[in-house]
Amino acid sequence: MKNYPYPMLQRPNFIWERHTDQTSDIKVHEWIGTARESVPDFSEYDVTILGAPLSKSSISTSAASENPDAMREAWKSFGTYNLDEDIDLSQLKAIDLGNVKQHVTDIAYSQQKTREAMAAMRSHHPHTLPITMGGDHSITAELVKGWKEAHPEETIGILQLDTHFDLRSLDELGPANGTPIRNLIESGTVEGKHVHNIGLQGFFNAKELKDYADEVGLNYTTLKQARKKGIDVVIHEALTQLDKQVDTIYLTVDMDVLDIIHGPATPAAAPGGMYSAELFEAVQIAGEHSRVKAMDIVCLDPRKDVGQITVKNAVYTMLSFLVGYCKKR
Amino acid sequence: MKNYPYPMLQRPNFIWERHTDQTSDIKVHEWIGTARESVPDFSEYDVTILGAPLSKSSISTSAASENPDAMREAWKSFGTYNLDEDIDLSQLKAIDLGNVKQHVTDIAYSQQKTREAMAAMRSHHPHTLPITMGGDHSITAELVKGWKEAHPEETIGILQLDTHFDLRSLDELGPANGTPIRNLIESGTVEGKHVHNIGLQGFFNAKELKDYADEVGLNYTTLKQARKKGIDVVIHEALTQLDKQVDTIYLTVDMDVLDIIHGPATPAAAPGGMYSAELFEAVQIAGEHSRVKAMDIVCLDPRKDVGQITVKNAVYTMLSFLVGYCKKR
Amino acid sequence: MKNYPYPMLQRPNFIWERHTDQTSDIKVHEWIGTARESVPDFSEYDVTILGAPLSKSSISTSAASENPDAMREAWKSFGTYNLDEDIDLSQLKAIDLGNVKQHVTDIAYSQQKTREAMAAMRSHHPHTLPITMGGDHSITAELVKGWKEAHPEETIGILQLDTHFDLRSLDELGPANGTPIRNLIESGTVEGKHVHNIGLQGFFNAKELKDYADEVGLNYTTLKQARKKGIDVVIHEALTQLDKQVDTIYLTVDMDVLDIIHGPATPAAAPGGMYSAELFEAVQIAGEHSRVKAMDIVCLDPRKDVGQITVKNAVYTMLSFLVGYCKKR
Amino acid sequence: MKNYPYPMLQRPNFIWERHTDQTSDIKVHEWIGTARESVPDFSEYDVTILGAPLSKSSISTSAASENPDAMREAWKSFGTYNLDEDIDLSQLKAIDLGNVKQHVTDIAYSQQKTREAMAAMRSHHPHTLPITMGGDHSITAELVKGWKEAHPEETIGILQLDTHFDLRSLDELGPANGTPIRNLIESGTVEGKHVHNIGLQGFFNAKELKDYADEVGLNYTTLKQARKKGIDVVIHEALTQLDKQVDTIYLTVDMDVLDIIHGPATPAAAPGGMYSAELFEAVQIAGEHSRVKAMDIVCLDPRKDVGQITVKNAVYTMLSFLVGYCKKR
Amino acid sequence: MKNYPYPMLQRPNFIWERHTDQTSDIKVHEWIGTARESVPDFSEYDVTILGAPLSKSSISTSAASENPDAMREAWKSFGTYNLDEDIDLSQLKAIDLGNVKQHVTDIAYSQQKTREAMAAMRSHHPHTLPITMGGDHSITAELVKGWKEAHPEETIGILQLDTHFDLRSLDELGPANGTPIRNLIESGTVEGKHVHNIGLQGFFNAKELKDYADEVGLNYTTLKQARKKGIDVVIHEALTQLDKQVDTIYLTVDMDVLDIIHGPATPAAAPGGMYSAELFEAVQIAGEHSRVKAMDIVCLDPRKDVGQITVKNAVYTMLSFLVGYCKKR
Amino acid sequence: MKNYPYPMLQRPNFIWERHTDQTSDIKVHEWIGTARESVPDFSEYDVTILGAPLSKSSISTSAASENPDAMREAWKSFGTYNLDEDIDLSQLKAIDLGNVKQHVTDIAYSQQKTREAMAAMRSHHPHTLPITMGGDHSITAELVKGWKEAHPEETIGILQLDTHFDLRSLDELGPANGTPIRNLIESGTVEGKHVHNIGLQGFFNAKELKDYADEVGLNYTTLKQARKKGIDVVIHEALTQLDKQVDTIYLTVDMDVLDIIHGPATPAAAPGGMYSAELFEAVQIAGEHSRVKAMDIVCLDPRKDVGQITVKNAVYTMLSFLVGYCKKR
């Protein structure tokens, strides 16, 4: 047992490990309860699950703050064994750390705590794979900055699956869900040429954003282009290119990359998007790559969901990534 | 006119034949009313529709008991003429027998009446194609046992379109919707090698169930495997193999084989599943095969439906099967 | 610490005490975790909360099995301090025991475990007030029988707030949600004259049931009659009468006693019923009476709820009863 | 048996009598089926139920056309015995005649058939109480005109429970749901002074309509005024006054008279309206009066309903009227 | 400024031009307000948007009358720049003319005003591309007739994307949403051989309608046939053939051509239909063709929508058509 | 015409006056359009309507930011004439100023603009009655502070209709929706003894908040107490007492004061609350009082609404207040 190294996390309501059996049951971890001040040795864990329930930074009203708990609930209807790949995720020791502390009226505070959570996690347990359930896309800027704080020597690349560039002006919006990639570029955390955005489509990005992307050398592939080449091919190409350029690849999945039929519960849900089978394949390939060391899923507002379609797709996406991660091992 | 041979059926609320014209109107059959004690000679019918409204045997709460009436209602928005195949289903004489009697607190009673209904139907009208609208998947065990009671000399095979094996332990669950195939195997009604399950996917089957399937020689093809080969090819292969081994092939469609976008109204609705166009093609091919002599559609809880998507897909599935049946004639 | 005396309960997912502060936060109890096999000394508790998640015994399909967890979730939006009465419920030590074990296909098993849970609770911790969250109304028959098993010498009376008599025939339905009071009368557990039903109304009871009620001397007051006299007056009269006749008064609240505007989430939701303010007053008065020693809330299907109206009314009802209980102390 | 006198009715899908037992079951009448061309002697019936499924004449889009079937469906959850009054409606012989024929694009045709249906009913079976399930309020003008055609010698009065005057200009709207009372006055069918409107409230009537009402001597009582006097008193006064002036009193209930919490499913649903208990009392009193010889319920769009609240209130209203009718006998 | 040439239009609530910037903001046009009697010179506009909010002519109840405003609202979440094609729609000067005047009870009046609106638009501003947001499919007959009135010398062809033939009998239904194509053929406005219907499928057209189509030489391609050839190929073939035969091709999109997962909000929503990506491609190709000079989108009832899926697909369809239109320029 | 004095307001999308006729139509004001830089002389207006769409300061996620537009939309279904009081609101000249500018990630900025809006309005047009549509309850602190800035010499009292004290700690939450009254007291803007809170109830206020209220001399009446005395009496008493103590009474209505059946769309919706008829009476009485000079309606999240019940109640509340205001004139 060690002392609790995460003062920026809320007292966790739901701290659990995933069972290894098929019952999808949840084994409540022993450090809920009297021993709450100390934690087990994290070095024994392969994966941490973190909730970053911030959505006050969304352009339109979003309850993405409720997504971490919604995903935890939906997760119960999934098992750990993947029949197609004959892989059982129960081989991974995973722990849910609960959620980052939030402030009711101070958005900057909540973002700082998110950044600190990633930095602390990387400092204390550098061999654990962190998966973050957003929250809106503004958290990605914080999480990558937190990583950079812990590993200032590393060059970081981003693989972004998104309908949008997320390159809108910080002057206009501040650190909102429309600006994280620009935030990372302008702050010098990530170079434009180390960002690969796949899935852009339709009428949802202004011409100016494309011009900015071209200016900073950002790589992007529209969904139509990706389908022509094969989405698997495009993902492999992006990873291969980044492999030569960066130390760590951060995978960020904005759930609005999905067509509205698969993802009705995103604030910007729109037709013309990716099918969930395409997304599952893309993240599984990413999970197999040795430089992909962190992942987040953002912009899912469960209050807008229809029959849990989007939340279940988010869990399936997270688990598909872990299937890839297991294949790599 | 003959005496009513089905004491295990409720007094039918909706006993009707399908019209042959395009108005989707319903011709109320004359034996509703004073003459309710006698029925027309069933030997003149090609198809019977039966409701088996049992869902108390579901693992999670399900109103699949309401599915037969929901399908009857949705059916009204379908005609009989299929433009693609230039086939008019009105060439078939079909009759809806109403629903199997149910007991409020005695699940075994309801299952016995389901079994008796199939046995009676096979005894009195052996040349009629029975289509059963479930109810949860536990009814499949009863219906196949009922068939076997009427035709003890026949070898029966099963073509199962499902996301799940349905091979969970009877000791744990009893005759529930997670156990029908194991129930049939362990009771000696069907051999494991005569079961073909197509459509399994994702994180919804425990490793133990796969091991059991392998042990009893059950045939299964995951959705990914099926798509690689072609779903039509896989269905044809399964039918060809069964054709040599069994007398009768029973087709069971668990609606949760569909992706959650096509089937939100199943208790286990999940992403990653079959598209409805794939399902329609699969059942039409099955309908064309001379040994496929019965069909059921199960695990559809209409209370969970969104815009009638799932119920309309169920009706479309049933009619596509009948299109295949007509092509065979 | 003592050994765990409740083998008939599921491994509890949510075992917690209510906090005494206003944050509505939940203090996870220490015996979740490694120490799950032993429990604290229950004699220190004032109140136990038990979930009896059985609704397969409902006449119509019901997900009342999901009500205990729905009430737990909705409870989080309530504090403990009641401003009107200047009473803080945090003076009570309350513990949630989790849910009674259920069987998927054996309704009798689930009912037996419910009965055993009450009997065990009364045997091990006779000074604790048990509150049960159903489940459908069939559980009341089991809980009262369980009480009787633990205290065979006691005479039990029932105060029932309900739109229905629940006196339907056991021969027809078995131990269903339409039969619990008849079940208790016919089994000799409770005498008809010791039952007071208040709230009956409308077109929802057959003439035969009234005739049966008259025959066994059951006391009933329709909602219209109760409103003419004053609901508080009628409740007081019933309690006063029972006070002279029985040792223990069991309070059972069928949520369908409420008008459909306050209780849309009951299987039999109907217009013409009680207003929630009337119900809160009634149960608070009951809570103040020294012979009222147990309470249940039944027939709430949270899947039918609209904006959590019914579930929040159920929690408010439970807390109002506890306010009365505190006033008595 | 007689020949079928109602060519203006659709082939009835659901022709049934109400059972006298408490099962709420429906006894399908024998003249569904081969004998559809002849009907039993209607003189033996006390009550006819007619559906007038016209809502194309609504100012805003309305699916009140679907109300007759929605009420039939909701009716199944009601019994016949009223405990408060100790009256069993099964003493009445009631028959559902099905729906009036409708034209897809010719509103005038549909209205004419509605008028003809009432006229035919009054001619062939003058001793039967007709209850009509609308449809929008325009049908009231047709039904009263149909009555007048059959009984040209009678003076007709109207008791209207409504949030609106329904006195808007025919020049502007034609025979729409905003004009029926003006339609009846301007056509000379009913005199303004023989109309009593009770329940008007809020911001839902223009000043001009009040001025018109005053001009033609129409009697009206706002809901606030009615509550001050007692709704029962106001209803009795209106009936007493009409009793001296007219031969027949026609009761029309616009469901939007209810507060939006009781009637969310009306196109003009609004706060500030009548409570359902008030409405039930009002119509029961009306049913007891010997000159009240017909009733309709209009402007209920079941697609807007929430948890069947409005439809169940409509059925409860109809049955409360019949309870009054039985008390009169 | 010119005098207002459109007396058949309602006083427009929302008259606006689309901005050219990415903010999706709306520039309110200056002629709202005091100057409402005059309009700017329309010859400067490339595109007019017209709402034809008639749905009383639908076979089943439909609120397609609310679709124009629903599309205007959903449009706000779209920008003007299309990344895939690198085309900015802001190069087009587009104006929304508001809606055609409607009558509450006179369907023929509303249809006449629709016809007049198209005729006036063609007379006053013949170089502007008119896009009409229905309303139900009956408006297509009026709009094409209005075009013919303005250009009696032109031969008109129709490219119809639809699940249905819309060839039902005028004698039975009048000018309803099931009859527009037959209406145009029987009135001599369009020849059967100049109609190309692509997308028909399933069980939704009676055999008689196919026979009528064959009789008048109407061209049709089922969805299955179209997918085998390639939907782009089929569209190109239809346009090429019409190019030789007619002066003007009118594109009509019945939203029920989409599979129910993409278009839950159509009265006839059904499985088995077109995917939205297929529809977007089809209309973009049509937009590129020089003879395609008008377009409508019909039969979308926004009250049935789920998460705005259908309405957003309708806007995407309209914009995809305009992308094609820009490519042509 | 004058120059535009409100730089803190967004370019208004919907600037209109209410018509004086019953059509509920909207007369678009002439200064939309080219003349947008100047405004008419506000001194001619009696009432301004302002939207303050801030809800990022809510404790739980809230889309109360969308309430102003939701109320504008629902307002269209109300006329101006009140039949009960024979008052036509069209005698008032009212203008909607649109919404206060908001920042995506800077809550303090949005609150400052709200404060400035009220201050500017009071400076430029001191004789106009401002009505503000929130937004969450944090805006009340800003609006009252803005009033104080414009009239520093005035003593301000508050009449609060609310289920909560809104006295939570600023240290914990900042200027959130749980703190506005404490904010006003601690900032010295309003004295505790000049606050009257009516409507508190249930389990929704911690004991500490009551203690704080007592400490600062805040006046409060629980709903039960108010009902015993008569809500009209309690309101009159509060106004009479404030009349002697303050210059201006500010009326703030938190919609969660309503019972959940009338107000499902508030983040804290709960049973046990006020009925809408009680609220309408209370605000009408307040409107009649000469010192009541401003009003707001807050904490209505229209995304949670059911059948527009809450939004229509909010509009009815606003109009009832204006009826009182007209009676005073």
Side-chain angles (χ1 to χ4, degrees), chain F residues 240-255:
Chain F
T240 303
Q241 193 173 326
L242 284 171
D243 188 49
K244 301 173 198 150
Q245 299 171 324
V246 303
D247 300 299
T248 290
I249 303 171
Y250 185 99
L251 171 64
T252 180
V253 180
D254 188 320
M255 288 301 285

Side-chain angles (χ1 to χ4, degrees), chain D residues 198-273:
Chain D
I198 297 169
L200 297 149
Q201 62 100 5
F203 303 87
F204 310 109
N205 292 282
K207 179 83 164 70
E208 299 87 281
L209 302 187
K210 175 197 181 297
D211 295 342
Y212 178 86
D214 290 341
E215 194 184 314
V216 299
L218 190 145
N219 308 279
Y220 55 90
T221 312
T222 70
L223 182 55
K224 282 193 186 167
Q225 293 166 338
R227 280 180 177 157
K228 270 181 206 148
K229 278 192 161 179
I231 284 181
D232 54 338
V233 173
V234 169
I235 297 286
H236 277 300
E237 284 178 0
L239 292 169
T240 303
Q241 194 173 326
L242 284 170
D243 188 50
K244 301 172 198 150
Q245 299 170 324
V246 303
D247 300 299
T248 290
I249 303 172
Y250 185 100
L251 171 65
T252 179
V253 180
D254 189 321
M255 288 301 286
D256 68 21
V257 75
L258 288 175
D259 192 281
I260 191 171
I261 61 170
H262 296 283
T266 66

Side-chain angles (χ1 to χ4, degrees), chain B residues 56-59 61-63 65-66 103-105 107 172-176 301 303, chain C residues 56-59 61-63 65-66 103-105 107 172-176 301 303:
Chain B
K56 289 176 191 268
S57 35
S58 289
I59 295 170
T61 299
S62 164
S65 55
E66 298 175 6
H103 195 276
V104 169
T105 51
I107 291 174
E172 182 197 355
L173 304 176
D301 174 354
R303 291 196 192 176
Chain C
K56 289 177 191 270
S57 35
S58 289
I59 296 170
T61 300
S62 165
S65 55
E66 299 175 5
H103 194 277
V104 169
T105 51
I107 291 174
E172 182 197 353
L173 304 175
D301 174 354
R303 291 197 192 176

Side-chain angles (χ1 to χ4, degrees), chain D residues 201 203 206 210 222 261 269 271, chain F residues 22 79 81 84 261 312-313 316:
Chain D
Q201 62 100 5
F203 303 87
K210 175 197 181 297
T222 70
I261 61 170
Chain F
Q22 54 88 26
Y81 177 66
D84 283 299
I261 62 170
K312 285 185 171 175
N313 269 306
Y316 206 115

Side-chain angles (χ1 to χ4, degrees), chain C residues 54-55 61 65 101 141 171 185 206 211 218 259 297 329:
Chain C
L54 173 67
S55 51
T61 300
S65 55
K101 278 183 186 164
D171 294 341
I185 293 171
D211 294 342
L218 190 144
D259 192 280
I297 293 179
R329 280 152 58 110

Side-chain angles (χ1 to χ4, degrees), chain B residues 3 12-13 37 61 81-82 87 95 125-126 128 142-143 149 152 175 225 243 260 275 283 286 292 305 309 324:
Chain B
N3 284 340
N13 283 326
E37 302 317 312
T61 299
Y81 177 66
N82 183 281
I87 280 177
I95 187 164
H125 310 100
T128 301
E142 308 306 323
L143 292 165
E149 279 174 28
Q225 293 167 337
D243 189 49
I260 191 171
Y275 300 133
V283 296
V292 177
D305 216 355
I309 289 178

Side-chain angles (χ1 to χ4, degrees), chain A residues 27-47:
Chain A
K27 186 162 65 174
V28 179
H29 195 276
E30 63 262 37
W31 59 283
I32 299 187
T34 48
R36 215 175 295 133
E37 302 317 311
S38 64
V39 291
D41 186 354
F42 267 63
S43 58
E44 62 181 295
Y45 285 95
D46 300 302
V47 179

Side-chain angles (χ1 to χ4, degrees), chain B residues 236-256:
Chain B
H236 276 302
E237 284 178 1
L239 292 169
T240 302
Q241 193 173 327
L242 284 170
D243 189 49
K244 300 172 198 152
Q245 299 170 324
V246 303
D247 301 298
T248 291
I249 303 173
Y250 185 99
L251 171 65
T252 180
V253 179
D254 189 321
M255 288 302 286
D256 69 21

